[in-house]
Amino acid sequence: QVQLVESGGGLVQPGGSLRLSCAASRNIFSFDAMGWYRQTPGKQRELVAAITTGGSTNYADSVKGRFTISRDNAKNTVYLQMNSLKPEDTAVYYCKAHRLNDYWGQGTQVIVSS
């Protein structure tokens, strides 16, 4: 059973930064890709950023230039560095890992508000 544990969410003012972490219960290279998604009430979960085993990344247009996905292989952890945060970034952020199946974390709340 794969476990993904997110952390790092919280309340931040517009223009601020947060770093989310997703710790996996097994070697992250065992997954084809890992990513961050977000969801707000009444909306579908959307891709924010993803990274493949080979290191390729892709981002939602709305976060390009502000968010960066990275990983620490030794810690089996994927990060999402979020800079220049906007109120519209407010959401529950979920980590996902994919290898034959999708595995999800429990989510971490990010609130961007003054």
Side-chain angles (χ1 to χ4, degrees):
Q1 184 71 10
V2 175
Q3 290 188 329
L4 302 173
V5 180
E6 300 105 330
S7 61
L11 173 64
V12 64
Q13 292 187 340
S17 298
L18 281 176
R19 189 178 79 158
L20 305 183
S21 300
C22 172
S25 60
R26 73 185 201 200
N27 190 326
I28 59 176
F29 278 107
S30 67
F31 303 114
D32 296 321
M34 295 187 71
W36 287 95
Y37 290 70
R38 65 187 180 188
Q39 189 170 24
T40 54
K43 293 189 177 181
Q44 284 191 324
R45 198 169 293 187
E46 63 173 3
L47 173 69
V48 176
I51 185 167
T52 68
T53 302
S56 298
T57 58
N58 67 290
Y59 297 90
D61 288 342
S62 59
V63 306
K64 283 181 181 177
R66 300 189 298 122
F67 291 11
T68 302
I69 189 170
S70 63
R71 65 191 179 198
D72 185 329
N73 303 330
K75 295 182 179 180
N76 291 325
T77 299
V78 174
Y79 303 99
L80 184 68
Q81 178 66 44
M82 305 187 295
N83 299 328
S84 302
L85 282 161
K86 304 175 181 180
E88 50 264 43
D89 295 317
T90 295
V92 178
Y93 284 71
Y94 296 91
C95 178
K96 189 187 88 170
H98 177 77
R99 172 69 175 175
L100 299 179
N101 297 303
D102 289 336
Y103 303 93
W104 293 93
Q106 81 288 351
T108 185
Q109 176 76 57
V110 171
I111 300 173
V112 184
S113 175
S114 55

PDB file of all heavy atoms in Angstrom, residues 56-90:
ATOM      1  N   SER A  56      11.338  15.287 -16.323  1.00  0.00           N
ATOM      2  CA  SER A  56      10.552  16.252 -17.095  1.00  0.00           C
ATOM      3  C   SER A  56       9.442  16.826 -16.228  1.00  0.00           C
ATOM      4  O   SER A  56       8.844  16.113 -15.420  1.00  0.00           O
ATOM      5  CB  SER A  56       9.938  15.581 -18.320  1.00  0.00           C
ATOM      6  OG  SER A  56      10.939  15.103 -19.183  1.00  0.00           O
ATOM      7  N   THR A  57       9.198  18.106 -16.414  1.00  0.00           N
ATOM      8  CA  THR A  57       8.162  18.770 -15.623  1.00  0.00           C
ATOM      9  C   THR A  57       7.146  19.450 -16.536  1.00  0.00           C
ATOM     10  O   THR A  57       7.446  19.794 -17.682  1.00  0.00           O
ATOM     11  CB  THR A  57       8.771  19.831 -14.692  1.00  0.00           C
ATOM     12  OG1 THR A  57       9.485  20.794 -15.476  1.00  0.00           O
ATOM     13  CG2 THR A  57       9.724  19.202 -13.687  1.00  0.00           C
ATOM     14  N   ASN A  58       5.961  19.615 -16.023  1.00  0.00           N
ATOM     15  CA  ASN A  58       4.984  20.441 -16.714  1.00  0.00           C
ATOM     16  C   ASN A  58       4.118  21.141 -15.678  1.00  0.00           C
ATOM     17  O   ASN A  58       3.965  20.656 -14.547  1.00  0.00           O
ATOM     18  CB  ASN A  58       4.128  19.642 -17.696  1.00  0.00           C
ATOM     19  CG  ASN A  58       3.216  18.654 -17.029  1.00  0.00           C
ATOM     20  OD1 ASN A  58       3.672  17.667 -16.490  1.00  0.00           O
ATOM     21  ND2 ASN A  58       1.926  18.916 -17.058  1.00  0.00           N
ATOM     22  N   TYR A  59       3.624  22.297 -16.080  1.00  0.00           N
ATOM     23  CA  TYR A  59       2.890  23.165 -15.163  1.00  0.00           C
ATOM     24  C   TYR A  59       1.600  23.667 -15.798  1.00  0.00           C
ATOM     25  O   TYR A  59       1.530  23.862 -17.013  1.00  0.00           O
ATOM     26  CB  TYR A  59       3.745  24.389 -14.795  1.00  0.00           C
ATOM     27  CG  TYR A  59       5.009  24.069 -14.056  1.00  0.00           C
ATOM     28  CD1 TYR A  59       6.197  23.810 -14.733  1.00  0.00           C
ATOM     29  CD2 TYR A  59       5.021  24.013 -12.663  1.00  0.00           C
ATOM     30  CE1 TYR A  59       7.361  23.508 -14.055  1.00  0.00           C
ATOM     31  CE2 TYR A  59       6.179  23.722 -11.975  1.00  0.00           C
ATOM     32  CZ  TYR A  59       7.347  23.469 -12.681  1.00  0.00           C
ATOM     33  OH  TYR A  59       8.496  23.178 -11.990  1.00  0.00           O
ATOM     34  N   ALA A  60       0.632  23.926 -14.955  1.00  0.00           N
ATOM     35  CA  ALA A  60      -0.550  24.629 -15.417  1.00  0.00           C
ATOM     36  C   ALA A  60      -0.149  26.043 -15.823  1.00  0.00           C
ATOM     37  O   ALA A  60       0.741  26.644 -15.205  1.00  0.00           O
ATOM     38  CB  ALA A  60      -1.594  24.684 -14.305  1.00  0.00           C
ATOM     39  N   ASP A  61      -0.795  26.571 -16.838  1.00  0.00           N
ATOM     40  CA  ASP A  61      -0.458  27.916 -17.309  1.00  0.00           C
ATOM     41  C   ASP A  61      -0.582  28.945 -16.194  1.00  0.00           C
ATOM     42  O   ASP A  61       0.191  29.910 -16.134  1.00  0.00           O
ATOM     43  CB  ASP A  61      -1.359  28.309 -18.479  1.00  0.00           C
ATOM     44  CG  ASP A  61      -1.033  27.565 -19.754  1.00  0.00           C
ATOM     45  OD1 ASP A  61       0.084  27.004 -19.844  1.00  0.00           O
ATOM     46  OD2 ASP A  61      -1.889  27.538 -20.651  1.00  0.00           O
ATOM     47  N   SER A  62      -1.533  28.732 -15.316  1.00  0.00           N
ATOM     48  CA  SER A  62      -1.807  29.714 -14.266  1.00  0.00           C
ATOM     49  C   SER A  62      -0.700  29.810 -13.222  1.00  0.00           C
ATOM     50  O   SER A  62      -0.662  30.781 -12.453  1.00  0.00           O
ATOM     51  CB  SER A  62      -3.123  29.380 -13.573  1.00  0.00           C
ATOM     52  OG  SER A  62      -3.078  28.090 -12.994  1.00  0.00           O
ATOM     53  N   VAL A  63       0.199  28.825 -13.181  1.00  0.00           N
ATOM     54  CA  VAL A  63       1.250  28.846 -12.157  1.00  0.00           C
ATOM     55  C   VAL A  63       2.657  28.930 -12.752  1.00  0.00           C
ATOM     56  O   VAL A  63       3.626  29.032 -12.005  1.00  0.00           O
ATOM     57  CB  VAL A  63       1.159  27.621 -11.228  1.00  0.00           C
ATOM     58  CG1 VAL A  63      -0.237  27.504 -10.639  1.00  0.00           C
ATOM     59  CG2 VAL A  63       1.574  26.335 -11.931  1.00  0.00           C
ATOM     60  N   LYS A  64       2.759  28.891 -14.066  1.00  0.00           N
ATOM     61  CA  LYS A  64       4.087  28.950 -14.696  1.00  0.00           C
ATOM     62  C   LYS A  64       4.827  30.220 -14.285  1.00  0.00           C
ATOM     63  O   LYS A  64       4.262  31.312 -14.292  1.00  0.00           O
ATOM     64  CB  LYS A  64       3.939  28.897 -16.224  1.00  0.00           C
ATOM     65  CG  LYS A  64       3.651  27.517 -16.766  1.00  0.00           C
ATOM     66  CD  LYS A  64       3.531  27.540 -18.287  1.00  0.00           C
ATOM     67  CE  LYS A  64       3.222  26.148 -18.818  1.00  0.00           C
ATOM     68  NZ  LYS A  64       3.021  26.156 -20.291  1.00  0.00           N
ATOM     69  N   GLY A  65       6.078  30.039 -13.938  1.00  0.00           N
ATOM     70  CA  GLY A  65       6.891  31.166 -13.507  1.00  0.00           C
ATOM     71  C   GLY A  65       6.760  31.498 -12.033  1.00  0.00           C
ATOM     72  O   GLY A  65       7.539  32.294 -11.500  1.00  0.00           O
ATOM     73  N   ARG A  66       5.778  30.897 -11.358  1.00  0.00           N
ATOM     74  CA  ARG A  66       5.581  31.152  -9.929  1.00  0.00           C
ATOM     75  C   ARG A  66       5.809  29.910  -9.083  1.00  0.00           C
ATOM     76  O   ARG A  66       6.297  30.016  -7.958  1.00  0.00           O
ATOM     77  CB  ARG A  66       4.154  31.670  -9.682  1.00  0.00           C
ATOM     78  CG  ARG A  66       3.817  32.956 -10.411  1.00  0.00           C
ATOM     79  CD  ARG A  66       2.479  33.520  -9.954  1.00  0.00           C
ATOM     80  NE  ARG A  66       1.368  32.626 -10.237  1.00  0.00           N
ATOM     81  CZ  ARG A  66       0.534  32.147  -9.325  1.00  0.00           C
ATOM     82  NH1 ARG A  66       0.684  32.470  -8.046  1.00  0.00           N
ATOM     83  NH2 ARG A  66      -0.467  31.348  -9.680  1.00  0.00           N
ATOM     84  N   PHE A  67       5.440  28.746  -9.593  1.00  0.00           N
ATOM     85  CA  PHE A  67       5.560  27.496  -8.850  1.00  0.00           C
ATOM     86  C   PHE A  67       6.668  26.639  -9.452  1.00  0.00           C
ATOM     87  O   PHE A  67       6.878  26.653 -10.674  1.00  0.00           O
ATOM     88  CB  PHE A  67       4.254  26.709  -8.905  1.00  0.00           C
ATOM     89  CG  PHE A  67       3.094  27.305  -8.157  1.00  0.00           C
ATOM     90  CD1 PHE A  67       3.126  28.595  -7.646  1.00  0.00           C
ATOM     91  CD2 PHE A  67       1.935  26.559  -7.966  1.00  0.00           C
ATOM     92  CE1 PHE A  67       2.055  29.135  -6.960  1.00  0.00           C
ATOM     93  CE2 PHE A  67       0.852  27.070  -7.285  1.00  0.00           C
ATOM     94  CZ  PHE A  67       0.910  28.365  -6.791  1.00  0.00           C
ATOM     95  N   THR A  68       7.318  25.871  -8.591  1.00  0.00           N
ATOM     96  CA  THR A  68       8.356  24.957  -9.047  1.00  0.00           C
ATOM     97  C   THR A  68       8.189  23.614  -8.349  1.00  0.00           C
ATOM     98  O   THR A  68       8.120  23.569  -7.108  1.00  0.00           O
ATOM     99  CB  THR A  68       9.752  25.505  -8.748  1.00  0.00           C
ATOM    100  OG1 THR A  68       9.911  26.791  -9.379  1.00  0.00           O
ATOM    101  CG2 THR A  68      10.825  24.561  -9.297  1.00  0.00           C
ATOM    102  N   ILE A  69       8.154  22.553  -9.132  1.00  0.00           N
ATOM    103  CA  ILE A  69       8.106  21.204  -8.569  1.00  0.00           C
ATOM    104  C   ILE A  69       9.515  20.631  -8.572  1.00  0.00           C
ATOM    105  O   ILE A  69      10.283  20.832  -9.521  1.00  0.00           O
ATOM    106  CB  ILE A  69       7.128  20.303  -9.350  1.00  0.00           C
ATOM    107  CG1 ILE A  69       6.923  18.974  -8.629  1.00  0.00           C
ATOM    108  CG2 ILE A  69       7.572  20.095 -10.791  1.00  0.00           C
ATOM    109  CD1 ILE A  69       5.786  18.134  -9.201  1.00  0.00           C
ATOM    110  N   SER A  70       9.862  19.945  -7.490  1.00  0.00           N
ATOM    111  CA  SER A  70      11.179  19.343  -7.395  1.00  0.00           C
ATOM    112  C   SER A  70      11.073  18.096  -6.527  1.00  0.00           C
ATOM    113  O   SER A  70      10.020  17.814  -5.964  1.00  0.00           O
ATOM    114  CB  SER A  70      12.184  20.332  -6.801  1.00  0.00           C
ATOM    115  OG  SER A  70      11.823  20.680  -5.471  1.00  0.00           O
ATOM    116  N   ARG A  71      12.169  17.392  -6.418  1.00  0.00           N
ATOM    117  CA  ARG A  71      12.150  16.171  -5.625  1.00  0.00           C
ATOM    118  C   ARG A  71      13.478  15.964  -4.926  1.00  0.00           C
ATOM    119  O   ARG A  71      14.518  16.444  -5.379  1.00  0.00           O
ATOM    120  CB  ARG A  71      11.829  14.958  -6.500  1.00  0.00           C
ATOM    121  CG  ARG A  71      12.892  14.676  -7.542  1.00  0.00           C
ATOM    122  CD  ARG A  71      12.437  13.658  -8.553  1.00  0.00           C
ATOM    123  NE  ARG A  71      13.477  13.430  -9.560  1.00  0.00           N
ATOM    124  CZ  ARG A  71      13.269  12.872 -10.728  1.00  0.00           C
ATOM    125  NH1 ARG A  71      12.052  12.466 -11.064  1.00  0.00           N
ATOM    126  NH2 ARG A  71      14.253  12.702 -11.577  1.00  0.00           N
ATOM    127  N   ASP A  72      13.420  15.249  -3.811  1.00  0.00           N
ATOM    128  CA  ASP A  72      14.599  14.821  -3.080  1.00  0.00           C
ATOM    129  C   ASP A  72      14.526  13.300  -3.044  1.00  0.00           C
ATOM    130  O   ASP A  72      13.753  12.728  -2.271  1.00  0.00           O
ATOM    131  CB  ASP A  72      14.606  15.418  -1.677  1.00  0.00           C
ATOM    132  CG  ASP A  72      15.877  15.085  -0.915  1.00  0.00           C
ATOM    133  OD1 ASP A  72      16.462  14.002  -1.154  1.00  0.00           O
ATOM    134  OD2 ASP A  72      16.282  15.902  -0.073  1.00  0.00           O
ATOM    135  N   ASN A  73      15.327  12.662  -3.896  1.00  0.00           N
ATOM    136  CA  ASN A  73      15.240  11.207  -4.024  1.00  0.00           C
ATOM    137  C   ASN A  73      15.603  10.491  -2.728  1.00  0.00           C
ATOM    138  O   ASN A  73      15.003   9.474  -2.371  1.00  0.00           O
ATOM    139  CB  ASN A  73      16.152  10.744  -5.151  1.00  0.00           C
ATOM    140  CG  ASN A  73      15.812  11.417  -6.464  1.00  0.00           C
ATOM    141  OD1 ASN A  73      14.667  11.772  -6.718  1.00  0.00           O
ATOM    142  ND2 ASN A  73      16.820  11.629  -7.293  1.00  0.00           N
ATOM    143  N   ALA A  74      16.571  11.016  -2.015  1.00  0.00           N
ATOM    144  CA  ALA A  74      17.018  10.378  -0.778  1.00  0.00           C
ATOM    145  C   ALA A  74      15.922  10.389   0.292  1.00  0.00           C
ATOM    146  O   ALA A  74      15.856   9.500   1.134  1.00  0.00           O
ATOM    147  CB  ALA A  74      18.264  11.064  -0.259  1.00  0.00           C
ATOM    148  N   LYS A  75      15.065  11.403   0.231  1.00  0.00           N
ATOM    149  CA  LYS A  75      13.981  11.526   1.217  1.00  0.00           C
ATOM    150  C   LYS A  75      12.654  11.010   0.677  1.00  0.00           C
ATOM    151  O   LYS A  75      11.641  11.088   1.382  1.00  0.00           O
ATOM    152  CB  LYS A  75      13.836  12.983   1.649  1.00  0.00           C
ATOM    153  CG  LYS A  75      15.048  13.529   2.398  1.00  0.00           C
ATOM    154  CD  LYS A  75      14.811  14.965   2.851  1.00  0.00           C
ATOM    155  CE  LYS A  75      16.014  15.487   3.625  1.00  0.00           C
ATOM    156  NZ  LYS A  75      15.813  16.891   4.073  1.00  0.00           N
ATOM    157  N   ASN A  76      12.644  10.536  -0.559  1.00  0.00           N
ATOM    158  CA  ASN A  76      11.395  10.086  -1.184  1.00  0.00           C
ATOM    159  C   ASN A  76      10.311  11.149  -1.081  1.00  0.00           C
ATOM    160  O   ASN A  76       9.154  10.850  -0.755  1.00  0.00           O
ATOM    161  CB  ASN A  76      10.913   8.771  -0.562  1.00  0.00           C
ATOM    162  CG  ASN A  76      11.816   7.620  -0.917  1.00  0.00           C
ATOM    163  OD1 ASN A  76      12.361   7.562  -2.016  1.00  0.00           O
ATOM    164  ND2 ASN A  76      11.988   6.704   0.018  1.00  0.00           N
ATOM    165  N   THR A  77      10.693  12.366  -1.358  1.00  0.00           N
ATOM    166  CA  THR A  77       9.803  13.504  -1.169  1.00  0.00           C
ATOM    167  C   THR A  77       9.777  14.378  -2.417  1.00  0.00           C
ATOM    168  O   THR A  77      10.815  14.608  -3.035  1.00  0.00           O
ATOM    169  CB  THR A  77      10.246  14.337   0.047  1.00  0.00           C
ATOM    170  OG1 THR A  77      10.190  13.518   1.210  1.00  0.00           O
ATOM    171  CG2 THR A  77       9.341  15.542   0.254  1.00  0.00           C
ATOM    172  N   VAL A  78       8.593  14.829  -2.741  1.00  0.00           N
ATOM    173  CA  VAL A  78       8.397  15.785  -3.826  1.00  0.00           C
ATOM    174  C   VAL A  78       7.907  17.089  -3.217  1.00  0.00           C
ATOM    175  O   VAL A  78       7.095  17.071  -2.286  1.00  0.00           O
ATOM    176  CB  VAL A  78       7.384  15.251  -4.856  1.00  0.00           C
ATOM    177  CG1 VAL A  78       7.063  16.299  -5.912  1.00  0.00           C
ATOM    178  CG2 VAL A  78       7.929  13.994  -5.523  1.00  0.00           C
ATOM    179  N   TYR A  79       8.397  18.188  -3.754  1.00  0.00           N
ATOM    180  CA  TYR A  79       8.063  19.504  -3.224  1.00  0.00           C
ATOM    181  C   TYR A  79       7.338  20.348  -4.268  1.00  0.00           C
ATOM    182  O   TYR A  79       7.485  20.143  -5.475  1.00  0.00           O
ATOM    183  CB  TYR A  79       9.336  20.245  -2.799  1.00  0.00           C
ATOM    184  CG  TYR A  79      10.163  19.511  -1.787  1.00  0.00           C
ATOM    185  CD1 TYR A  79      11.274  18.776  -2.170  1.00  0.00           C
ATOM    186  CD2 TYR A  79       9.828  19.559  -0.438  1.00  0.00           C
ATOM    187  CE1 TYR A  79      12.042  18.104  -1.237  1.00  0.00           C
ATOM    188  CE2 TYR A  79      10.594  18.890   0.504  1.00  0.00           C
ATOM    189  CZ  TYR A  79      11.699  18.165   0.094  1.00  0.00           C
ATOM    190  OH  TYR A  79      12.451  17.504   1.033  1.00  0.00           O
ATOM    191  N   LEU A  80       6.594  21.307  -3.764  1.00  0.00           N
ATOM    192  CA  LEU A  80       6.020  22.329  -4.627  1.00  0.00           C
ATOM    193  C   LEU A  80       6.327  23.676  -3.975  1.00  0.00           C
ATOM    194  O   LEU A  80       5.750  24.012  -2.940  1.00  0.00           O
ATOM    195  CB  LEU A  80       4.509  22.158  -4.797  1.00  0.00           C
ATOM    196  CG  LEU A  80       3.865  23.151  -5.774  1.00  0.00           C
ATOM    197  CD1 LEU A  80       4.337  22.873  -7.206  1.00  0.00           C
ATOM    198  CD2 LEU A  80       2.332  23.076  -5.700  1.00  0.00           C
ATOM    199  N   GLN A  81       7.264  24.390  -4.576  1.00  0.00           N
ATOM    200  CA  GLN A  81       7.593  25.733  -4.103  1.00  0.00           C
ATOM    201  C   GLN A  81       6.641  26.710  -4.778  1.00  0.00           C
ATOM    202  O   GLN A  81       6.582  26.772  -6.014  1.00  0.00           O
ATOM    203  CB  GLN A  81       9.029  26.096  -4.445  1.00  0.00           C
ATOM    204  CG  GLN A  81       9.435  27.503  -4.034  1.00  0.00           C
ATOM    205  CD  GLN A  81       9.459  27.686  -2.529  1.00  0.00           C
ATOM    206  OE1 GLN A  81       9.949  26.837  -1.796  1.00  0.00           O
ATOM    207  NE2 GLN A  81       8.922  28.812  -2.058  1.00  0.00           N
ATOM    208  N   MET A  82       5.897  27.443  -3.977  1.00  0.00           N
ATOM    209  CA  MET A  82       4.893  28.366  -4.502  1.00  0.00           C
ATOM    210  C   MET A  82       5.268  29.786  -4.114  1.00  0.00           C
ATOM    211  O   MET A  82       5.328  30.107  -2.915  1.00  0.00           O
ATOM    212  CB  MET A  82       3.510  28.008  -3.949  1.00  0.00           C
ATOM    213  CG  MET A  82       3.107  26.567  -4.205  1.00  0.00           C
ATOM    214  SD  MET A  82       1.408  26.203  -3.719  1.00  0.00           S
ATOM    215  CE  MET A  82       1.511  26.437  -1.950  1.00  0.00           C
ATOM    216  N   ASN A  83       5.555  30.602  -5.099  1.00  0.00           N
ATOM    217  CA  ASN A  83       5.918  31.998  -4.883  1.00  0.00           C
ATOM    218  C   ASN A  83       4.868  32.914  -5.495  1.00  0.00           C
ATOM    219  O   ASN A  83       4.056  32.493  -6.315  1.00  0.00           O
ATOM    220  CB  ASN A  83       7.283  32.287  -5.501  1.00  0.00           C
ATOM    221  CG  ASN A  83       8.395  31.468  -4.899  1.00  0.00           C
ATOM    222  OD1 ASN A  83       8.366  31.121  -3.711  1.00  0.00           O
ATOM    223  ND2 ASN A  83       9.393  31.140  -5.711  1.00  0.00           N
ATOM    224  N   SER A  84       4.905  34.161  -5.096  1.00  0.00           N
ATOM    225  CA  SER A  84       3.978  35.168  -5.630  1.00  0.00           C
ATOM    226  C   SER A  84       2.543  34.666  -5.582  1.00  0.00           C
ATOM    227  O   SER A  84       1.800  34.749  -6.572  1.00  0.00           O
ATOM    228  CB  SER A  84       4.370  35.540  -7.068  1.00  0.00           C
ATOM    229  OG  SER A  84       5.689  36.032  -7.125  1.00  0.00           O
ATOM    230  N   LEU A  85       2.164  34.152  -4.453  1.00  0.00           N
ATOM    231  CA  LEU A  85       0.846  33.547  -4.323  1.00  0.00           C
ATOM    232  C   LEU A  85      -0.270  34.568  -4.485  1.00  0.00           C
ATOM    233  O   LEU A  85      -0.139  35.731  -4.076  1.00  0.00           O
ATOM    234  CB  LEU A  85       0.719  32.838  -2.981  1.00  0.00           C
ATOM    235  CG  LEU A  85       1.427  31.471  -2.933  1.00  0.00           C
ATOM    236  CD1 LEU A  85       1.682  31.037  -1.513  1.00  0.00           C
ATOM    237  CD2 LEU A  85       0.591  30.435  -3.674  1.00  0.00           C
ATOM    238  N   LYS A  86      -1.355  34.103  -5.079  1.00  0.00           N
ATOM    239  CA  LYS A  86      -2.521  34.936  -5.347  1.00  0.00           C
ATOM    240  C   LYS A  86      -3.740  34.339  -4.637  1.00  0.00           C
ATOM    241  O   LYS A  86      -3.774  33.131  -4.375  1.00  0.00           O
ATOM    242  CB  LYS A  86      -2.802  34.983  -6.845  1.00  0.00           C
ATOM    243  CG  LYS A  86      -1.636  35.457  -7.695  1.00  0.00           C
ATOM    244  CD  LYS A  86      -1.969  35.347  -9.172  1.00  0.00           C
ATOM    245  CE  LYS A  86      -0.810  35.794 -10.041  1.00  0.00           C
ATOM    246  NZ  LYS A  86      -1.124  35.686 -11.486  1.00  0.00           N
ATOM    247  N   PRO A  87      -4.736  35.147  -4.362  1.00  0.00           N
ATOM    248  CA  PRO A  87      -5.945  34.602  -3.719  1.00  0.00           C
ATOM    249  C   PRO A  87      -6.550  33.435  -4.500  1.00  0.00           C
ATOM    250  O   PRO A  87      -7.097  32.501  -3.897  1.00  0.00           O
ATOM    251  CB  PRO A  87      -6.889  35.807  -3.684  1.00  0.00           C
ATOM    252  CG  PRO A  87      -5.977  36.986  -3.604  1.00  0.00           C
ATOM    253  CD  PRO A  87      -4.790  36.612  -4.467  1.00  0.00           C
ATOM    254  N   GLU A  88      -6.431  33.471  -5.825  1.00  0.00           N
ATOM    255  CA  GLU A  88      -6.987  32.383  -6.626  1.00  0.00           C
ATOM    256  C   GLU A  88      -6.203  31.079  -6.520  1.00  0.00           C
ATOM    257  O   GLU A  88      -6.629  30.051  -7.057  1.00  0.00           O
ATOM    258  CB  GLU A  88      -7.109  32.789  -8.104  1.00  0.00           C
ATOM    259  CG  GLU A  88      -5.859  33.381  -8.705  1.00  0.00           C
ATOM    260  CD  GLU A  88      -5.849  34.903  -8.685  1.00  0.00           C
ATOM    261  OE1 GLU A  88      -6.236  35.503  -7.640  1.00  0.00           O
ATOM    262  OE2 GLU A  88      -5.444  35.493  -9.707  1.00  0.00           O
ATOM    263  N   ASP A  89      -5.076  31.102  -5.834  1.00  0.00           N
ATOM    264  CA  ASP A  89      -4.337  29.867  -5.555  1.00  0.00           C
ATOM    265  C   ASP A  89      -4.908  29.134  -4.342  1.00  0.00           C
ATOM    266  O   ASP A  89      -4.479  28.018  -4.043  1.00  0.00           O
ATOM    267  CB  ASP A  89      -2.855  30.161  -5.309  1.00  0.00           C
ATOM    268  CG  ASP A  89      -2.162  30.713  -6.547  1.00  0.00           C
ATOM    269  OD1 ASP A  89      -2.405  30.186  -7.646  1.00  0.00           O
ATOM    270  OD2 ASP A  89      -1.363  31.660  -6.385  1.00  0.00           O
ATOM    271  N   THR A  90      -5.844  29.763  -3.661  1.00  0.00           N
ATOM    272  CA  THR A  90      -6.468  29.125  -2.505  1.00  0.00           C
ATOM    273  C   THR A  90      -7.173  27.838  -2.923  1.00  0.00           C
ATOM    274  O   THR A  90      -7.975  27.834  -3.855  1.00  0.00           O
ATOM    275  CB  THR A  90      -7.484  30.089  -1.856  1.00  0.00           C
ATOM    276  OG1 THR A  90      -6.781  31.223  -1.333  1.00  0.00           O
ATOM    277  CG2 THR A  90      -8.254  29.402  -0.743  1.00  0.00           C
TER     278      THR A  90
END
